[in-house]
Structure formats: structure tokens, C-alpha cells
Amino acid sequence: MNTKTHVWFLIILISFVVNALYVESASKTLDSYLLSCGSSNGGSDSDGRKWESDSKYLGSSDNSISAKAKFQDPSLPSAIPYMSARILTSESTYTLSVSTKKRHWVRLHFYPSSYSSLNATDAYFDVTAGETTLLNNFSAPITAEALTQSYIVREFSVGPFSSDALKITFTPSAKHNGSYAFVNGIEIISMPELFPEPATLVGFSDQTVDVASSTLQTMFRLNVGGQYIPPNNDSDLSRTWYDDSPYVYGAAFGVTTETNTTVKIDFPEEFPKYVAPVDVYSTARSMGPDSKLNQNFNLTWVFPVDGNFMYVVRLHFCELEQTLINQRVFDIFINNQTAQEAADVIAWSGAKEVPVYKDFAIFVSNTSGSAQELWLALHPSVAEKPEVYDAILNGLEIFKLNDTSGNLAAPNPVPSPMLLEAESEEKTSFAEPSKSKKTAHIIGGAAGGAAAVGLVAAICIVVYNRKKRVYGNESNGTSGWLPLYGNSLTSHNNSKSTISGKSSHTSSHLSTLAAGLCRHFALGEIKQGTKNFDESNVIGVGGFGKVYKGVVDGGTKVAIKRANPSSEQGVHEFRTEIEMLSKLRHRHLVSLIGFCEENDEMILVYDYMSHGTVREHLYKCKTHLSWKQRLEICIGAARGLHYLHTGAKYTIIHRDVKTTNILVDENWVAKVSDFGLSKTGPALNQTHVSTVVKGSFGYLDPEYFRRQQLTDKSDVYSFGVVLFEVLCARPALNPSLPKEQVSLADWALHCQRKGILEDIIDPTLKGKINPEVLKKFSETAEKCLSDHGTERPSMGDVLWNLEFCLQLQENPSSSLVKDDVGIAKDSEIDAREANMAAHRKLEPWK
Ligand SMILES: *[C@@H]1O[C@H](CO)[C@@H](O)[C@H](O)[C@H]1NC(C)=O
Ligand SMILES: *[C@@H]1O[C@H](CO)[C@@H](O)[C@H](O)[C@H]1NC(C)=O
Ligand SMILES: *[C@@H]1O[C@H](CO)[C@@H](O)[C@H](O)[C@H]1NC(C)=O
Ligand SMILES: *[C@@H]1O[C@H](CO)[C@@H](O)[C@H](O)[C@H]1NC(C)=O
Ligand SMILES: *[C@@H]1O[C@H](CO)[C@@H](O)[C@H](O)[C@H]1NC(C)=O
Ligand SMILES: *[C@@H]1O[C@H](CO)[C@@H](O)[C@H](O)[C@H]1NC(C)=O
Ligand SMILES: *[C@@H]1O[C@H](CO)[C@@H](O)[C@H](O)[C@H]1NC(C)=O
Ligand SMILES: *[C@@H]1O[C@H](CO)[C@@H](O)[C@H](O)[C@H]1NC(C)=O
Ligand SMILES: *[C@@H]1O[C@H](CO)[C@@H](O)[C@H](O)[C@H]1NC(C)=O
């Protein structure tokens, strides 16, 4: 043999070996199935995963029909597996040969639509996997509707079992006439045992729960402080990880941190890589840099869950900043019980950038009435005297465990009665999800108190929805401020045609982003909620049209702004307001709940602010506001504006700051409203936005007026007028006064400079304001009214000074160091905002 033959021989040998290896690895994945039910050939989904037809796994005696959906909802991530369905008219079983000694994911995909001539509302069915009931009396359309979601994904993790194959059985409910079962996709994926160790039972430190013997349902899986991770980017278990910000409770968002791309997360040898992908560990949410502030609040997440089940909560940690033991130590509370005292990530993991996780089990009972919730709260462990008072979390998973009778199913969620009524009025069927309602998505504000059923629904969406976020160019970790979620953000790339087709259909003016973030109300719902726009419900009239109070979802009070159909300007402002507000959520901004655009009507639906505008409490004197209340209102409004200027991706300039655009809710919390004139601010390389002058006389920045150049300092000017208005309780313009007094800005400045401001303040406040506070307050307002924008303070500085005023007013005797104040100590703290203020180098403009 010459060398040539040798080489050939070698090549053949190698290819044999490679082939053998390949076959070996292929047989390992034989344990996994992706079934596109009802399709004849299968196909690939938008993530490039290959799905096969389900027919050969069904018993031959099973009565089944394969059917195609008539309509592709734009929110579907891809046609495979949702556009085809397997209809099962009697009990039918999929038999999948898998290694029964292993644990498997079972993911069920449902897209309620009309298939053949069947009515989707008739489909009630049970699903079991082996002995465990996964779903019972399940109605996909009811669930989808209650979640305002077009499709549903349920993920279960089935443990090892004794039979020779995994049997998934669908049984149409006998209790409903004409019932049938259907399914669009089934995924069976072999997985390692994620819970080799039992979980600690919260509240019973000596007891544990053995998770490995149970079937689990995934309720939540979050990349805390990070972004959406699609199945393809998971560590081999094709899990989806979502952003946690929609679940953060209240305004205390903490801050998100991210590792340097150059830093490697170091998985210890005994720590399996599949536990969570690197992306989960390399981002985190912590409380913020201000130790003092952190002692006053809990970093809290709230999750809606089903009652009467045991849950296991897995917390993923990886220290990204601290390096030593006892540097960052915190307590972990689950449902208001101590789950772990003195958690110290470095003590657990041994080093920075090394991951570790902890499992806790908790039973959630079904206390009557209210929705069942699971609360997770972190608080610095003050007793341990750590170096920093802070807490950290990188990832979070919540699983539901089967109960003792082998059941995981909970009742169908309940759609709001109003939604149902509106629907029956319209006679829309589930068969035509193109009707506005089906793509309506409710966005829960960051504020915790939203009582609407819709919020819970919106929260659920995130879990059950294979959402994709449009990251654009804001995909860095710090964009966590924007609690964007909802599935119309979906799939810009994979169903572009349907999305644009859809958006022109439902709302010609709106970007898909805004339309997706906002709930789309049917006109019927609005008419019902306002008694057909009854005049007795009018609570205000503006340039835009009338504002009505109303009720939606069977009890949620809202303010409904109905545009004057004649005004062309209205269309533009309508659009601006939706575009702006739908993306902004803040405790001190009025929340837009949704909109309605039907029959030439343009209607915006907001949170109802029961105490109306600030102005009506100043000199129309509905109620007499105390000085402290006024300060708190100013602080709230300043926070809202500061957030607009700095919290968002772009600087947003309100352009119409005035006392009628600052509203107060039932707890006297001030919220900035009316974004019809808002502009996004200058891009980085510009210092201003050129624009036609708009705004309200009396509040208008003279520099803006002169130069027609808008900056965030124009809002600061207007806010200065607001401060004087609050102090003096008179309108910004009062033409009935002597000429020099007509404009409040001019008159107050004049008096301030002459040192006679006290003569013009609200008589009811005389003697009630600490002189130091009055000095600080009026200096702040004066500075806001500086002629040149560059001389005016930023909104953050205004906020800081107002907080100082409040502190001083409440604590006049204490000789406070300036650095120690700035934070209203007992009012609910907007930690993120305050942290921002505390962190900023203060410009002592005197
Ligand atoms: C489906 O059934 C519901 C309730 O039974 C009924 O209101 C609706 O009209 C039906 N839709 C169609 C298309 O038959
Ligand atoms: C179900 O159908 C049967 C026979 O078609 C009928 O007798 C029965 O009344 C129906 N039940 C209901 C609840 O409609
Ligand atoms: C997923 O992984 C791919 C390739 O590593 C990367 O390009 C993509 O940005 C990742 N997607 C997300 C959302 O992280
Ligand atoms: C990022 O990593 C590099 C190299 O490890 C280091 O020099 C730099 O300080 C890091 N930056 C931050 C913000 O931690
Ligand atoms: C935990 O406490 C908060 C208030 O302290 C309460 O609103 C919430 O309902 C409690 N959560 C649970 C699950 O008990
Ligand atoms: C944090 O949560 C725990 C458990 O619910 C509660 O006992 C504690 O008072 C909370 N701390 C603060 C500062 O809210
Ligand atoms: C709570 O569970 C019990 C038993 O499982 C059930 O009888 C009861 O109706 C449930 N209560 C609520 C409010 O769901
Ligand atoms: C779940 O079911 C299995 C048997 O099917 C049982 O051993 C286990 O205890 C159940 N889990 C719980 C939390 O009750
Ligand atoms: C099945 O679910 C429907 C809708 O949630 C409910 O009205 C019905 O009572 C349930 N039936 C049973 C037998 O639980």
C-alpha cells in the first residue's frame, strides 16, 4: 500500500467513527419530540426548530380530525405549530416512547380559533400525562380571553414513571354537550432532574419538600434585571426566560446591573451548566447604591398563582460586585414569612461571578375571594451589620407541584363581566379574532395597587406567552426602567406582513409598539361605562374634547377622554398621547389604560384621579390643602417630570406643565398628565428641538418663545410658575389685576427680589411655613424662572430641593447635614428616583 491508500483508509475509518458518534448522539435525542399537531408534514418555527407531524403517535382507533385555523393572529410567533390543530372528539392518547427513568418537559400549545365547522367555545377537555392531571375542564378560548392573549403555552415537567411510554391523554369533557379537545403543538423534551435536593419549606426550617417525586408546572421563569431569553439561547433545555420588571412591586424598582462582557461567569465543576444560561447570572437587580434608603424598603415581586397548591421557588444568585463575605447580606421573605435570614451570596458561592441557587417551597392556600398571590421580598440584613445594606437577585423560577391527588389543574380564569357583555353585544365570535378585542393587551402600571382584573391577566400573559421584545438599540441592561411587555411586541421579523396588515386594520395611526402596549377598548364598552356619554358624567372639558368619568371591567373607575371629532389637531395629539404614554409607567404619571378608535371616535382611557386637578384645590378651593400636602404634591409632580426628562430612553419634554395638568388621586398622590404636546427631546448631538411654540400662556418659557427652541429647561420654567401658584394660590395669569400683577411669574419674581414675597403668599398659609423652608422654596422657584435655560436647575435638582424643604418643614429643630436629607422619610419612597437624586453630583446653584 502506498501512502495514498493509507490516507484513504484513514479517511474512511474516520468517517465511520464520526458516523457512529453521530448516530450515538442522535439516539440520545430520540427521547425528544416536537409535534405540530394536525399538520401532515411538520415544518420549522421562527426559532428554526423542526416540528414533525403528530399522526403516527396517535392510536389508530382515535377519532381525530386534522384542521387548519382560518385566521393567523399577528401575535402568533410563527405558523408552526399554531396554524394547524388536531381535533379529538373522544378520549385519545398520544403514546411517545421515551426513557421513562428520566424527567421530561411536556409543553402544550393551544391556539383557540375556529377549526372546520367547530365552535371553539365548545372545547372543554382534560389532559393527563401518565397518572397526573395537567388540565381539567380546560377551555382555551376562556383562558385566552381572560388573559387577553391569542395563544397559550403550558409547560410541565413530568418526573420518572413506571409505565413503558409517556402517554398524553386528551378527554373531551362529558359535562358539556358537543365538547371536543384540540391541541396545536406538543413538545416532549428529555431533561435532567432539576431538583435533586429537596426544597426548604418556608416557615418550617426543619422541614423540606421532595420535589423530585412530583410533576411540576412552570408558572414563572425570569431573567431578573436582564432581558428576554428565547428557547434557542437557553442552556440546552429550550426554556424561555422573561424580563422580571412587570412583576416588581410598587415604585421601588431597585437598579439593574450587568457584568462586563469581558468577565466570565465561572460555573463550578459540580454546578450543572443547564441550571440556567450565563445570561441569567450575568444580570441582576439590586436595591441601589444608597444603603440608608435601602433600609426603608423591600425589593418586592408579586406573582398571581392558583390557590391550594405547593409551589417551589428557585432563586438564582451570582454576585457581580462584591467579593467578600459579609459585604452584602440580606433576608429573603416569601409570602411575608422569613425564608432565609442573612443570605450572603459570596458565602454560598465562594467568590464573585460564581453562580449559586436556593430552593424554597411554600404552600399557597385559597383564602376566599381575592386572587392568590406569591410575594417575594428582599431586605438588607441589618442585624448582620454588612458593609453595604443591599440585596441582589439574578434569576427566579416558580413551579407549581401536583397535589396529593396527582392534580395540577386549576379552574379556568374568569374574564371580566364587562368584557363578556361588550362581546355579546358585538356578536363577535372567537372564530374571528381579528376583532379589536383579541389583540387588546392590558399593561399593568408599575404602581402596585392596580385592582383591575386586567392587571393580573396582563401579568399572566407574560408567562404563558412566548413573547419577544423589540429591543431596537436599547438592549443594554439599564433599559430596565421600561416595563414593556405584552405580546404585540412580538415578532417583528417573522410575521411582518401580518403585523402591518393588522395595524392598518385596527388602528391606522399607531405604531405597532404603542398599539400593542395599550388596551384596545370596544366602543360598546366605553358607551356602557359612561352611560352613553351621559352629560352627568362629564368631569372636564379641554381643547381636545370632553372628559367623562366611567367604569370598565365591572368596577374599575376610569377617566375617559373623548376627542372632538372635528378637530384635526386632535388626531395628532391623540396619537402622540398614546405613543408617549403607552411606553411610560411611573407612579407620578397618569397611566393610560387604553384607547378606542371606532366609528371616527378617538377615545383615551386613563386611571381615574378622584381628586381632580391641583388647581381646583388652590383657589377654587374644593378643599383646603395644607402646606405639607402642597409640598408633597409638588414633589410628586417634580418626580414625574424628572422621570420624563431622565428616566426614559429619550428625554421627553412635556411642554404644557401647569396646575391643570397635575392631577391628584384619592391618596393625594400627584400625577402629571396630558402628554398631547409632548416631544421627545434632542438627540445626543443636539441641544434643543426646534418646534412651533405651543403651551399655555402664563407658563411659557420666554426663551422658548423667543428662540423657538425647546429644551427640558422649558418644563423647569413652567414648573417654577406652578411652584409660585401653589404658594400664592392665584392663577398664572389674572387679567383683572393691575398690569404689573397680571403675570404671576413676573409679579412673584418682583416680590421675591424686593423681599416682599410673604405679602403675596396664600393667606391661609401665613405663619404655617417654616421661614427657612419658605426661603428655600421661593429660591428654588425663582431659579426655575431664570431667563436663560442654562441658569435654571435641572428637574432632579428641583426635586432634591423640594424634598429638603419637606424634611426641614417636618424636622425644623434637627441640625441636618444637607447630605443626609433629600428623602422624605416616611412617604412611600420611589427608591429609584431618590437614588438617582442621591447619586447625582449636586450643583449648588445659589
Ligand atoms: C359559538 O358558541 C357560542 C356559545 O355557545 C355562541 O354564542 C356563538 O355564536 C357560537 N359561534 C359560532 C360561530 O357558531
Ligand atoms: C345534551 O344533548 C342531549 C341529547 O342531544 C340532550 O338530551 C340534553 O338535553 C343536552 N344537554 C344540555 C345541557 O344541553
Ligand atoms: C441569542 O443567541 C444569538 C447567538 O448567540 C445572539 O445573536 C442573540 O442576540 C441572542 N438573543 C438574545 C435575545 O439574547
Ligand atoms: C470591565 O472589565 C475590564 C477588564 O476586566 C476592567 O478593566 C473594567 O474596569 C471593567 N469595567 C467595569 C465597569 O467593571
Ligand atoms: C404581604 O404583606 C402585604 C402588606 O404587608 C400584603 O399586602 C400582602 O397581601 C401580603 N401577602 C401575602 C401573600 O400574604
Ligand atoms: C419587608 O417584608 C417583610 C415581610 O413581609 C416585613 O416583615 C417587613 O416589615 C418589610 N420591610 C419593609 C421595610 O417594608
Ligand atoms: C378552596 O379550596 C376548597 C377545597 O379545595 C374548596 O372547597 C373551596 O371552594 C376553595 N375556595 C375558594 C375561594 O376557591
Ligand atoms: C405529586 O404526586 C406524586 C405521586 O403521583 C406524589 O408522590 C407527590 O407527593 C405529589 N406531590 C405533592 C406535593 O403532593
Ligand atoms: C368548566 O369551566 C367552565 C368555565 O370556566 C365553568 O363554567 C364550568 O362550571 C366548569 N365545569 C365544571 C364541570 O367544572
Side-chain angles (χ1 to χ4, degrees):
M1 277 202 275
N2 59 20
T3 7
K4 224 171 185 173
T5 29
H6 264 130
V7 168
W8 273 115
F9 188 71
L10 214 68
I11 287 177
I12 289 164
L13 195 70
I14 287 173
S15 66
F16 257 111
V17 173
V18 166
N19 253 339
L21 282 175
Y22 182 77
V23 168
E24 164 88 344
S25 74
S27 71
K28 266 185 196 148
T29 57
L30 260 187
D31 226 16
S32 299
Y33 300 87
L34 295 183
L35 306 184
S36 177
C37 303
S39 89
S40 43
N41 310 313
S44 296
D45 67 12
S46 59
D47 288 329
R49 300 201 299 158
K50 293 212 166 21
W51 297 67
E52 61 173 319
S53 165
D54 64 326
S55 40
K56 66 176 178 218
Y57 303 104
L58 265 178
S60 52
S61 61
D62 291 328
N63 291 319
S64 83
I65 312 166
S66 57
K68 293 250 173 293
K70 294 203 179 94
F71 172 81
Q72 183 170 359
D73 193 279
S75 65
L76 291 176
S78 67
I80 304 278
Y82 298 101
M83 289 303 289
S84 64
R86 176 69 57 186
I87 311 285
L88 304 157
T89 49
S90 60
E91 182 177 311
S92 310
T93 301
Y94 283 94
T95 306
L96 300 143
S97 71
V98 295
S99 151
T100 55
K101 291 190 185 61
K102 289 179 83 179
R103 190 166 268 279
H104 287 83
W105 290 127
V106 173
R107 297 196 184 105
L108 304 176
H109 300 255
F110 302 100
Y111 173 44
S113 181
S114 73
Y115 298 104
S116 305
S117 57
L118 294 162
N119 190 338
T121 55
D122 292 336
Y124 285 92
F125 54 95
D126 304 346
V127 182
T128 59
E131 303 290 294
T132 313
T133 303
L134 305 183
L135 298 170
N136 178 266
N137 186 37
F138 175 70
S139 166
I142 290 179
T143 307
E145 183 183 31
L147 306 178
T148 55
Q149 173 66 22
S150 69
Y151 65 105
I152 297 158
V153 184
R154 292 278 155 110
E155 183 184 273
F156 304 92
S157 167
V158 179
F161 45 91
S162 49
S163 70
D164 54 349
L166 180 54
K167 288 188 178 356
I168 309 229
T169 303
F170 290 79
T171 314
S173 168
K175 301 214 173 68
H176 299 265
N177 261 355
S179 189
Y180 63 95
F182 79 95
V183 60
N184 301 85
I186 301 177
E187 289 179 63
I188 309 289
I189 294 175
S190 112
M191 64 186 284
E193 176 55 63
L194 285 177
F195 292 94
E197 307 287 332
T200 316
L201 186 60
V202 174
F204 305 86
S205 54
D206 53 337
Q207 288 184 40
T208 58
V209 171
D210 175 31
V211 186
S213 64
S214 294
T215 298
L216 316 178
Q217 180 182 349
T218 310
M219 303 296 285
F220 301 92
R221 180 176 291 122
L222 306 176
N223 179 12
V224 176
Q227 58 185 39
Y228 169 80
I229 301 174
N232 274 357
N233 291 30
D234 185 37
S235 45
D236 292 340
L237 293 180
S238 62
R239 294 165 297 191
T240 310
W241 299 75
Y242 296 99
D243 170 13
D244 71 314
S245 49
Y247 306 95
V248 178
Y249 175 73
F253 260 66
V255 296
T256 59
T257 41
E258 208 177 350
T259 47
N260 240 320
T261 45
T262 54
V263 172
K264 272 236 169 68
I265 299 296
D266 191 8
F267 282 76
E269 226 158 79
E270 71 284 2
F271 189 95
K273 286 226 180 6
Y274 55 74
V275 169
V278 170
D279 280 357
V280 168
Y281 291 113
S282 54
T283 58
R285 188 178 296 280
S286 60
M287 300 182 83
D290 189 327
S291 275
K292 229 180 154 97
L293 184 63
N294 293 349
Q295 289 179 55
N296 293 335
F297 79 101
N298 280 344
L299 185 54
T300 306
W301 293 260
V302 179
F303 305 94
V305 293
D306 303 315
N308 265 352
F309 284 100
M310 179 74 82
Y311 290 86
V312 51
V313 180
R314 168 165 290 185
L315 305 178
H316 297 269
F317 299 102
C318 182
E319 186 56 80
L320 304 173
E321 291 159 341
Q322 311 299 339
T323 51
L324 298 174
I325 290 178
N326 211 41
Q327 268 186 313
R328 168 154 42 196
V329 187
F330 52 96
D331 298 335
I332 302 169
F333 304 99
I334 297 178
N335 273 6
N336 298 342
Q337 300 181 62
T338 306
Q340 173 83 50
E341 273 181 328
D344 186 334
V345 178
I346 294 285
W348 286 336
S349 69
K352 186 182 169 189
E353 284 143 16
V354 175
V356 62
Y357 65 82
K358 292 281 161 189
D359 297 329
F360 300 101
I362 185 145
F363 185 79
V364 177
S365 60
N366 66 344
T367 43
S368 60
S370 64
Q372 278 82 52
E373 287 172 341
L374 201 150
W375 288 55
L376 169 69
L378 307 180
H379 189 260
S381 202
V382 177
E384 301 295 314
K385 298 200 168 51
E387 192 177 313
V388 296
Y389 289 134
D390 198 358
I392 184 173
L393 184 64
N394 303 63
L396 169 71
E397 291 171 281
I398 299 177
F399 301 93
K400 176 163 79 177
L401 271 60
N402 65 265
D403 62 17
T404 43
S405 59
N407 175 51
L408 265 172
N412 292 313
V414 183
S416 78
M418 194 66 93
L419 199 64
L420 287 178
E421 260 171 55
E423 178 156 295
S424 62
E425 253 174 38
E426 279 185 36
K427 299 225 177 6
T428 39
S429 73
F430 290 109
E432 292 165 48
S434 60
K435 281 282 190 277
S436 59
K437 188 214 83 241
K438 291 306 285 183
T439 42
H441 304 287
I442 310 158
I443 292 303
V453 188
L455 176 62
V456 175
I459 284 175
C460 305
I461 291 174
V462 183
V463 191
Y464 299 115
N465 171 17
R466 288 158 42 87
K467 166 196 69 168
K468 282 188 184 159
R469 289 179 52 173
V470 177
Y471 277 101
N473 49 5
E474 46 121 28
S475 60
N476 56 16
T478 52
S479 65
W481 65 271
L482 189 66
L484 276 187
Y485 57 98
N487 67 355
S488 279
L489 295 175
T490 350
S491 50
H492 250 208
N493 35 13
N494 52 41
S495 57
K496 201 172 254 157
S497 55
T498 44
I499 279 212
S500 49
K502 172 64 165 231
S503 57
S504 62
H505 184 191
T506 51
S507 173
S508 45
H509 308 304
L510 292 173
S511 70
T512 35
L513 179 67
L517 284 169
C518 254
R519 168 142 170 220
H520 199 149
F521 283 90
L523 188 55
E525 275 176 283
I526 304 281
K527 281 191 173 163
Q528 191 151 8
T530 56
K531 302 203 184 89
N532 203 10
F533 301 109
D534 195 291
E535 284 298 308
S536 66
N537 284 339
V538 173
I539 50 173
V541 183
F544 182 87
K546 285 183 179 162
V547 184
Y548 300 80
K549 69 169 186 250
V551 178
V552 296
D553 292 345
T556 309
K557 275 194 179 174
V558 292
I560 291 174
K561 199 155 133 185
R562 185 192 196 190
N564 215 332
S566 57
S567 91
E568 181 50 36
Q569 190 190 14
V571 178
H572 177 74
E573 292 181 6
F574 178 73
R575 203 186 312 166
T576 312
E577 183 122 8
I578 297 175
E579 293 282 342
M580 289 276 174
L581 261 185
S582 62
K583 291 169 216 164
L584 296 172
R585 296 288 148 181
H586 191 269
R587 179 172 153 79
H588 294 288
L589 299 182
V590 169
S591 300
L592 180 68
I593 297 173
F595 66 95
C596 166
E597 201 181 23
E598 216 176 297
N599 295 355
D600 293 328
E601 292 274 3
M602 292 180 295
I603 292 165
L604 295 169
V605 181
Y606 302 88
D607 272 354
Y608 181 67
M609 296 289 120
S610 57
H611 280 131
T613 70
V614 169
R615 176 175 298 174
E616 62 197 290
H617 301 288
L618 289 176
Y619 34 89
K620 276 195 194 161
C621 272
K622 243 186 175 174
T623 354
H624 174 72
L625 290 179
S626 71
W627 174 236
K628 184 178 168 225
Q629 273 178 312
R630 294 188 203 196
L631 269 179
E632 281 169 349
I633 286 170
C634 291
I635 288 171
R639 283 216 181 114
L641 289 171
H642 174 54
Y643 171 78
L644 282 181
H645 290 176
T646 62
K649 183 175 157 195
Y650 304 108
T651 295
I652 293 167
I653 303 168
H654 186 286
R655 286 220 288 178
D656 202 12
V657 176
K658 54 182 177 182
T659 45
T660 45
N661 281 342
I662 301 170
L663 307 182
V664 261
D665 72 6
E666 72 276 15
N667 300 317
W668 297 98
V669 173
K671 306 199 183 210
V672 177
S673 80
D674 217 328
F675 292 67
L677 296 180
S678 300
K679 277 263 181 217
T680 43
L684 282 178
N685 50 356
Q686 286 175 299
T687 55
H688 64 267
V689 179
S690 288
T691 157
V692 181
V693 173
K694 282 190 182 162
S696 301
F697 287 106
Y699 296 91
L700 210 52
D701 169 13
E703 189 178 47
Y704 168 42
F705 198 76
R706 276 196 311 271
R707 302 172 56 195
Q708 315 231 325
Q709 290 177 344
L710 189 64
T711 72
D712 53 350
K713 296 297 178 67
S714 310
D715 284 351
V716 174
Y717 182 93
S718 309
F719 192 70
V721 180
V722 168
L723 292 180
F724 276 126
E725 200 177 333
V726 166
L727 182 67
C728 305
R730 56 149 284 187
L733 282 184
N734 185 349
S736 63
L737 290 171
K739 195 164 154 244
E740 71 278 10
Q741 298 185 23
V742 169
S743 155
L744 171 62
D746 293 346
W747 182 235
L749 276 185
H750 171 83
C751 296
Q752 166 76 358
R753 284 169 190 155
K754 284 259 151 77
I756 54 164
L757 188 70
E758 252 169 288
D759 296 347
I760 66 162
I761 68 173
D762 184 352
T764 66
L765 293 178
K766 288 229 165 89
K768 305 219 169 100
I769 310 179
N770 174 319
E772 276 295 302
V773 173
L774 179 59
K775 182 160 173 286
K776 187 92 206 157
F777 186 89
S778 50
E779 276 175 9
T780 306
E782 179 187 1
K783 207 71 196 170
C784 289
L785 296 185
S786 299
D787 224 23
H788 298 287
T790 49
E791 292 159 12
R792 294 175 206 149
S794 70
M795 224 42 237
D797 294 337
V798 174
L799 173 60
W800 194 91
N801 278 279
L802 291 175
E803 283 173 336
F804 180 75
C805 286
L806 182 63
Q807 189 83 13
L808 197 60
Q809 182 72 35
E810 298 201 307
N811 257 323
S813 51
S814 66
S815 53
L816 292 158
V817 196
K818 212 178 170 195
D819 279 350
D820 277 352
V821 294
I823 285 132
K825 66 173 187 309
D826 57 356
S827 59
E828 291 172 54
I829 292 162
D830 183 337
R832 193 164 43 115
E833 294 293 326
N835 261 328
M836 239 181 234
H839 240 205
R840 132 199 328 273
K841 261 262 169 282
L842 292 160
E843 305 146 27
W845 42 273
K846 288 193 193 104

